Amino acid sequence: MSDVKHIGRRPLPIVGVTGPTTGAAVAACPGRRLEHQPGALEGAPFDGEWGPVLALYECWSTDPDVRHRGSSGGVVSAISAHMVTSGAAVGALQIQASRENPLRNETVLNTTYETIVAAAGSRYAPASPCERLDLVEHAAGPCVVVGKPCDIAATRRAAELRPALAQKVGLTIGIFCAGTPSSAATEKLIRDLDVDPAAVTQVDYRGEGWPGRFRVRTSEGPAGSFSYAEAWGGTLTKNRQWRCLICPDHTGEFADLAIGDPWYREVTDDEPGRSLVVVRTERGREALRAALADGALAGEELPLSRLPESQPNLESTRGAVWGRVLTMRLLGLPTPRFLNMPAFRLWWKLPLRGKLTSTAGTWRRMRARGLWRSELETTGEPT
């Protein structure tokens, strides 16, 4: 995989391919197909519109340092670390800031409490944890896999295709995601702080408070910051790749546990972080209960109604995705296939303006982004 600065992580170019690309990687790719198996959503709350949901919790790490550094309550780090320290797993496949370039990400298999919690915090930049699933497959025992919803969906499908990998995936944790900004977006934010990206030694997108600030350090110390709303609501969200805008899974529907922010109420700047935890499988429920029982986490179960209340924009976003994909198909563009993932009725619920934006607006975006051409043509960089 390589980083295309203005888009995201992409496979290295394949030379000499004259027909459709095939193989196990394509078969596992969520950009090609996402599907809940028949019966997987039977009896699911919200008519399956939020995927499988067995229970909902609000939790936080009992380690005050992890809770403070984490993007919300430090729950992803706390559960991953507890799996390792309790002996349920031998490591956690995670994304962390690259040791060679702090503006980029790298995938690592961390195997100790210290290294797992050191990777705490969101990384709103391109990341591809599945490129190192070999570390999981060849590990000495079960591992935790942490990633965006698409990463976890790909891991699950890859495990179905590779029994050796399936034996080593001990738990999957999906992080709520509204899309991945490009590396160029991070560089723009840094320049907006009047800092040279080449001088940066550390970038934090959130954390050290809830939700925390976008912060930059150089060798001389702190060099500036933006609020979470300024960073995410401005430059970052405007520079998400197109694939993210046609993805229906923002809440880790294929994970054992899915974790995000409980935005169902106002959050004060000095409030300690809390995480919303969606239990999607019995394996996830077991891991969560063990972490609570052993004191790695604190928290309580919530009524399921808190899920849509915590992420009020995601229901309409999923409806808009249905309209965008429909428009692409009508115009002859290749599109991913989404099966057993209710979306049409969410599109139907949209107000007239929302329906028009998701269809006619998609046509305008396609023209502006040149989606009829390959990314290599539009960026001059390999795809």
Side-chain angles (χ1 to χ4, degrees):
M1 303 287 287
S2 62
D3 190 89
V4 182
K5 183 182 291 188
H6 296 283
I7 301 177
R9 298 283 287 173
R10 292 293 185 272
L12 293 172
I14 301 173
V15 179
V17 174
T18 57
T21 303
T22 60
V26 176
C29 180
R32 177 176 178 266
R33 182 187 183 102
L34 276 178
E35 177 182 9
H36 284 298
Q37 295 301 313
L41 299 181
E42 185 175 343
F46 314 111
D47 295 322
E49 293 169 0
W50 293 81
V53 180
L54 302 185
L56 186 69
Y57 284 76
E58 186 170 338
C59 299
W60 54 91
S61 171
T62 54
D63 183 328
D65 182 55
V66 174
R67 186 178 185 183
H68 180 67
R69 289 166 51 201
S71 296
S72 47
V75 170
V76 174
S77 300
I79 292 179
S80 300
H82 177 263
M83 288 284 289
V84 171
T85 57
S86 68
V90 300
L93 192 74
Q94 299 174 282
I95 293 297
Q96 64 186 31
S98 168
R99 286 160 286 195
E100 297 179 358
N101 183 345
L103 276 64
R104 302 292 186 264
N105 293 323
E106 65 179 1
T107 305
V108 293
L109 183 68
N110 286 318
T111 59
T112 67
Y113 184 94
E114 290 74 21
T115 55
I116 291 171
V117 301
S122 295
R123 298 290 303 173
Y124 294 141
S128 50
C130 289
E131 67 180 318
R132 294 316 313 269
L133 284 175
D134 63 304
L135 296 175
V136 175
E137 186 169 329
H138 297 125
C143 297
V144 181
V145 177
V146 180
K148 306 180 298 296
C150 57
D151 303 322
I152 299 304
T155 297
R156 180 168 173 172
R157 179 59 180 148
E160 292 172 354
L161 297 171
R162 298 179 66 88
L165 174 63
Q167 293 177 5
K168 298 297 178 65
V169 178
L171 184 75
T172 57
I173 300 178
I175 303 170
F176 284 19
C177 177
T180 300
S182 65
S183 297
T186 296
E187 294 185 7
K188 183 180 185 306
L189 276 176
I190 294 171
R191 291 192 180 95
D192 288 345
L193 292 170
D194 294 325
V195 177
D196 180 0
V200 172
T201 58
Q202 181 176 330
V203 177
D204 293 301
Y205 292 84
R206 289 181 59 180
E208 295 192 7
W210 185 32
R213 300 178 65 86
F214 175 85
R215 305 179 305 280
V216 172
R217 293 181 64 91
T218 67
S219 59
E220 297 180 356
S225 70
F226 286 120
S227 69
Y228 170 69
E230 290 170 330
W232 174 254
T235 297
L236 294 177
T237 194
K238 293 176 182 177
N239 286 275
R240 295 169 294 169
Q241 56 189 318
W242 176 252
R243 175 60 184 85
C244 297
L245 302 184
I246 55 171
C247 177
D249 181 13
H250 298 277
T251 60
E253 295 185 22
F254 297 89
D256 294 312
L257 294 171
I259 299 175
D261 287 280
W263 298 132
Y264 63 84
R265 57 185 175 81
E266 292 291 330
V267 176
T268 60
D269 291 338
D270 58 350
E271 188 172 344
R274 291 170 175 247
S275 297
L276 193 73
V277 183
V278 185
V279 179
R280 299 202 181 275
T281 69
E282 290 298 336
R283 184 167 70 174
R285 194 200 305 266
E286 181 181 347
L288 178 64
R289 284 178 172 173
L292 288 165
D294 291 346
L297 293 179
E300 59 186 3
E301 190 166 358
L302 295 179
L304 296 182
S305 60
R306 290 300 192 200
L307 178 53
E309 290 171 2
S310 293
Q311 302 288 333
N313 296 325
L314 294 188
E315 186 174 271
S316 59
T317 296
R318 183 152 169 172
V321 166
W322 187 90
R324 292 169 191 156
V325 172
L326 174 65
T327 302
M328 292 177 68
R329 286 177 181 162
L330 292 175
L331 294 173
L333 268 71
T335 61
R337 297 188 66 192
F338 304 129
L339 304 177
N340 296 323
M341 301 187 72
F344 170 73
R345 58 176 175 259
L346 296 177
W347 180 82
W348 190 253
K349 290 180 185 178
L350 294 175
L352 178 60
R353 182 174 182 178
K355 292 186 177 72
L356 291 173
T357 299
S358 70
T359 51
T362 296
W363 161 249
R364 290 194 298 270
R365 284 179 171 178
M366 289 167 60
R367 292 185 61 188
R369 290 179 179 241
L371 294 183
W372 282 277
R373 295 175 290 164
S374 72
E375 290 177 349
L376 180 59
E377 292 180 80
T378 57
T379 67
E381 299 180 76
T383 61

